[in-house]
Amino acid sequence: MGTQSPFELEALSHEDSLSLLLKWAFNQGDEERYPNLLPIADEIVKKCKGVPLAVRTMGSLLYGKTRQRDWELIRDNHIWKLDQQETGILAALKLSDNHLPHHLKRCLAYLSLFPKDTLYDTDYIIQSWLANGFLPSPVQEDDVCCEDIGLQYFKDLRSKGFVQDVDDQVTFYKFKIHDLIHDLALSVSQEECLTIYQQTISASENVRHLAFAEHYPMRILQPFLKKLKGVRTLVSLTSWGQFKEVEKTFLSACISYFKYLRLIELENCTLKALPKSICTLKHLKCLNLSSCHNLRRVPKSIHKLQSLLTLRLFNLPRFQVSDNLRRLINLRFLEISGDDMQLREVRPGNWSSLRFLYFCKCTTLKCLFEGMENLTSLKDLIFACCYELESLSRSLKFLVKLEDICIISCPKINLLMEPQGIEDQNLHLGLKNFIIRDAPSLRDLPRLLLEASASHLEFIEIRGCPELEALPNWFQNLISLQRLEIIDCPKLSRLFDGVEHLTSLKQLKIQQCPTLNDKYRPQTGTDWSKISHVQEVHIEEQKIIKSRLMLENYGKGSSSLYCELRS
């Protein structure tokens, strides 16, 4: 096999660089209002030397600044003279980092704890930020919750060009950071964040966040660990699909040395049991034991962890879901799995702060436990691969803060849930997203929950439901619906009556539904006129954009719009 010479990417032209900077520095057309800034923009672009990352970073830094003096300070900053690589990248990144507010610097620095090219998940990262005190503490009565503030921090980092490859998963985002951004974050976090590799020989006593990339015998680690008294975060790093050996003695030693641990992440470890001493960590806020396949249970005294906000028990095939979990009364984020569901009831006050509840591979779960109405703060409810699950509880109608329901690969589930009696007639719920996938027994949709959310519901996805024969006519009451996706529902013969009256509907996707494909095919289908008002229509492989508005709005950070199961 022959070899080829590497292809060298050329720098952007000056004209293209200027255009890119203005795109990120201004909303479309606004640059014309500030002609005095254009000569300065021209000089800043020259300093970036045609490197797209440098240009975009500078544009993000300048966004929202319209005073000439602010632009001049960026142009004339001494950091440009310190860039030894003569590419403009390092100076641009350092300038942008210097202008970050302190709370965003801490959040960005934390990401350097993980390897380059890591695919981050906003739900999990926000829980890590929360555990380490980077977000405001949860306040029970506060209208703005700390998770929403964390999401805004992520969006701020995104708008400033520090994250990339952002993928909108409907209820959360996945993203990466550029290798050079990772290097920058690492350089500014050396005192607090440390990842231990074989070549690591020393560490600052100020280290707060500690990650282990490889397995080490305790005789080597013990002298090293004794010096680090202020560690708050303990992470065991593993490559995807691989398992890492973690000795129980190692974990016991860390618990002994690090009294102020706030976060422990042991994902994909071979650990068979947790030391009982873990329940003495009164400051622990986040515990991740996902994919520790040998783990059967947590200690009986787990309820002593009263500061715990996040508990991840994802993908534990032989796990016993203890009744003691309900005594963790401050939980906000819970993922559970296993083949022994001993938790059957949640009583008033148990999980009143819980916002995220994810059932994954709970193989014996047939229905939700009693007392679901007590989860008064619940926002996200997700089921995946719960093979015995048959229905949802009508008590969900009491959860007025519930915004997202996602059901994936639950083969026995049907969702017949009709209003009953006067008490169901005036319900006002707040569901925004409803997703069901791979549900071969589904024949009915939950009218009680969806119709009561008519003024909030924006997105419905129905995929892989071979027995679903019709969409109910009450769908025409979903006046806020913006996106509807129907995929692989071969028996579905028509859309609901009144679809033409849903003026908020902007995107409609129909795939692998033979009859629907024919009826609603653009221009030629017999019922095309009923959906011709929709701005964007996908029928099989055809895509029709009815309005140029979406193209014109395509710009900063556009991404896909599809939810997928976390792995």
Side-chain angles (χ1 to χ4, degrees):
M1 181 181 295
T3 59
Q4 293 183 341
S5 300
F7 181 78
E8 294 187 8
L9 294 176
E10 295 183 0
L12 291 177
S13 68
H14 181 78
E15 182 181 17
D16 288 342
S17 295
L18 183 59
S19 176
L20 181 62
L21 181 133
L22 295 178
K23 176 181 177 181
W24 283 86
F26 294 100
N27 292 322
Q28 188 173 9
D30 280 0
E31 66 273 15
E32 297 175 1
R33 298 168 52 195
Y34 304 98
N36 59 312
L37 300 181
L38 297 185
I40 306 173
D42 190 79
E43 294 180 67
I44 292 174
V45 161
K46 290 177 183 176
K47 295 176 182 288
C48 294
K49 300 176 182 177
V51 178
L53 179 61
V55 175
R56 193 191 73 173
T57 301
M58 284 295 92
S60 299
L61 175 59
L62 293 165
Y63 181 75
K65 293 179 170 64
T66 55
R67 290 196 319 150
Q68 182 170 326
R69 182 58 180 157
D70 292 334
W71 284 58
E72 290 171 344
L73 288 173
I74 299 295
R75 180 196 62 191
D76 300 332
N77 196 287
H78 72 282
I79 287 180
W80 292 109
K81 299 177 182 179
L82 302 178
D83 191 344
Q84 300 299 314
Q85 291 191 1
E86 298 183 353
T87 62
I89 297 178
L90 293 182
L93 297 182
K94 289 175 182 176
L95 264 172
S96 191
D97 180 74
N98 287 349
H99 282 77
L100 274 182
H102 179 65
H103 64 276
L104 293 185
K105 282 188 178 182
R106 292 200 300 174
C107 291
L108 179 64
Y110 182 82
L111 299 181
S112 71
L113 197 62
F114 303 91
K116 290 181 178 180
D117 207 40
T118 292
L119 184 61
Y120 301 93
D121 177 313
T122 52
D123 275 347
Y124 301 150
I125 286 298
I126 288 169
Q127 294 303 312
S128 299
W129 290 344
L130 177 60
N132 281 293
F134 301 164
L135 306 178
S137 298
V139 179
Q140 188 71 27
E141 304 298 329
D142 199 353
D143 289 337
V144 180
C145 73
C146 46
E147 288 86 356
D148 291 339
I149 294 173
L151 186 59
Q152 185 57 53
Y153 285 4
F154 160 75
K155 291 180 178 178
D156 289 345
L157 287 173
R158 179 185 182 182
S159 70
K160 296 177 185 301
F162 284 99
V163 304
Q164 64 179 29
D165 299 339
V166 178
D167 192 2
D168 186 339
Q169 299 289 317
V170 180
T171 61
F172 65 101
Y173 296 88
K174 289 187 176 182
F175 68 97
K176 292 184 177 183
I177 61 176
H178 193 281
D179 285 356
L180 291 172
I181 299 288
H182 189 280
D183 290 342
L184 176 69
L186 194 60
S187 69
V188 300
S189 66
Q190 284 179 347
E191 282 291 303
E192 292 201 346
C193 297
L194 176 66
T195 301
I196 297 181
Y197 298 94
Q198 279 191 344
Q199 64 269 28
T200 305
I201 57 175
S202 63
S204 166
E205 293 184 1
N206 296 325
V207 167
R208 293 293 180 265
H209 313 294
L210 190 62
F212 293 86
E214 300 169 28
H215 171 66
Y216 301 90
M218 269 305 297
R219 61 182 172 80
I220 295 177
L221 281 177
Q222 197 158 6
F224 188 86
L225 297 178
K226 283 184 177 180
K227 298 178 181 179
L228 307 177
K229 299 297 185 182
V231 173
R232 303 290 192 268
T233 298
L234 183 67
V235 175
S236 176
L237 298 175
T238 55
S239 300
W240 188 87
Q242 296 182 354
F243 292 91
K244 181 177 178 181
E245 182 180 353
V246 173
E247 300 174 17
K248 191 174 180 179
T249 54
F250 163 74
L251 188 54
S252 295
C254 289
I255 293 170
S256 174
Y257 298 143
F258 309 148
K259 298 293 187 182
Y260 302 100
L261 274 174
R262 292 168 174 255
L263 182 149
I264 298 177
E265 186 167 315
L266 301 173
E267 194 164 348
N268 291 312
C269 290
T270 58
L271 201 67
K272 294 182 179 180
L274 293 173
K276 293 181 181 179
S277 58
I278 198 170
C279 300
T280 65
L281 295 172
K282 61 182 181 179
H283 300 286
L284 192 65
K285 294 180 181 294
C286 180
L287 178 60
N288 179 9
L289 304 171
S290 297
S291 298
C292 295
H293 288 178
N294 295 326
L295 193 65
R296 296 298 306 270
R297 59 182 62 85
V298 291
K300 291 183 179 179
S301 54
I302 188 74
H303 62 276
K304 292 183 179 180
L305 296 175
Q306 287 298 297
S307 295
L308 202 64
L309 304 177
T310 303
L311 180 59
R312 295 188 56 202
L313 304 171
F314 176 81
N315 196 23
L316 304 178
R318 299 184 297 161
F319 191 75
Q320 180 188 90
V321 182
S322 167
D323 185 58
N324 269 356
L325 294 184
R326 64 181 173 82
R327 298 171 66 182
L328 295 168
I329 60 174
N330 290 309
L331 277 181
R332 300 174 69 84
F333 189 104
L334 176 62
E335 294 177 331
I336 53 179
S337 58
D339 61 357
D340 186 2
M341 180 65 72
Q342 296 191 356
L343 178 62
R344 294 183 173 85
E345 180 184 11
V346 177
R347 298 173 186 171
N350 283 157
W351 286 347
S352 58
S353 298
L354 193 67
R355 289 174 51 84
F356 184 102
L357 179 57
Y358 188 174
F359 296 91
C360 178
K361 294 184 181 178
C362 294
T363 54
T364 60
L365 183 70
K366 291 188 176 181
C367 59
L368 285 173
F369 36 70
E370 296 292 324
M372 282 297 295
E373 65 274 13
N374 296 316
L375 307 187
T376 52
S377 298
L378 195 65
K379 176 179 175 288
D380 294 340
L381 179 61
I382 301 176
F383 303 87
C385 304
C386 296
Y387 302 121
E388 299 298 320
L389 184 65
E390 297 176 351
S391 63
L392 297 184
S393 170
R394 291 182 63 87
S395 61
L396 295 181
K397 69 181 183 180
F398 297 110
L399 304 184
V400 295
K401 294 185 179 180
L402 187 62
E403 294 184 1
D404 307 304
I405 294 179
C406 184
I407 304 168
I408 299 175
S409 297
C410 298
K412 293 187 177 181
I413 198 164
N414 190 37
L415 296 175
L416 180 62
M417 197 183 298
E418 293 291 313
Q420 296 176 358
I422 298 176
E423 65 175 16
D424 290 345
Q425 299 304 316
N426 295 311
L427 279 180
H428 297 284
L429 301 181
L431 272 181
K432 292 183 179 179
N433 303 293
F434 176 79
I435 298 167
I436 184 160
R437 292 181 176 180
D438 301 323
S441 299
L442 185 81
R443 291 178 173 83
D444 305 283
L445 294 166
R447 180 177 186 176
L448 178 65
L449 303 180
L450 300 186
E451 196 172 28
S453 303
S455 59
H456 298 276
L457 192 60
E458 297 177 355
F459 175 58
I460 294 179
E461 178 187 328
I462 304 170
R463 180 193 299 248
C465 301
E467 296 301 316
L468 184 65
E469 297 183 358
L471 294 183
N473 287 333
W474 51 262
F475 259 47
Q476 65 183 294
N477 300 326
L478 306 181
I479 56 175
S480 295
L481 191 64
Q482 297 180 21
R483 296 167 46 221
L484 175 62
E485 296 186 5
I486 307 167
I487 302 169
D488 193 18
C489 299
K491 289 188 177 180
L492 204 57
S493 59
R494 64 177 181 84
L495 295 179
F496 48 93
D497 291 342
V499 64
E500 63 271 20
H501 302 310
L502 291 185
T503 55
S504 294
L505 191 62
K506 293 180 174 62
Q507 292 177 304
L508 174 62
K509 186 174 186 178
I510 300 173
Q511 290 184 345
Q512 298 173 266
C513 305
T515 305
L516 290 186
N517 293 343
D518 291 339
K519 281 188 174 182
Y520 297 97
R521 194 169 300 281
Q523 312 303 335
T524 61
T526 55
D527 288 339
W528 162 247
S529 61
K530 295 181 180 180
I531 62 168
S532 60
H533 67 287
V534 180
Q535 292 177 1
E536 186 173 343
V537 177
H538 302 249
I539 303 290
E540 283 290 344
E541 300 303 323
Q542 295 190 36
K543 177 179 177 182
I544 305 296
I545 297 180
K546 295 293 293 180
S547 170
R548 294 201 59 81
L549 180 63
M550 297 188 123
L551 290 177
E552 292 166 357
N553 287 340
Y554 185 88
K556 298 184 180 74
S558 67
S559 57
S560 82
L561 297 167
Y562 309 124
C563 175
E564 68 179 18
L565 175 62
R566 289 182 170 98
S567 58

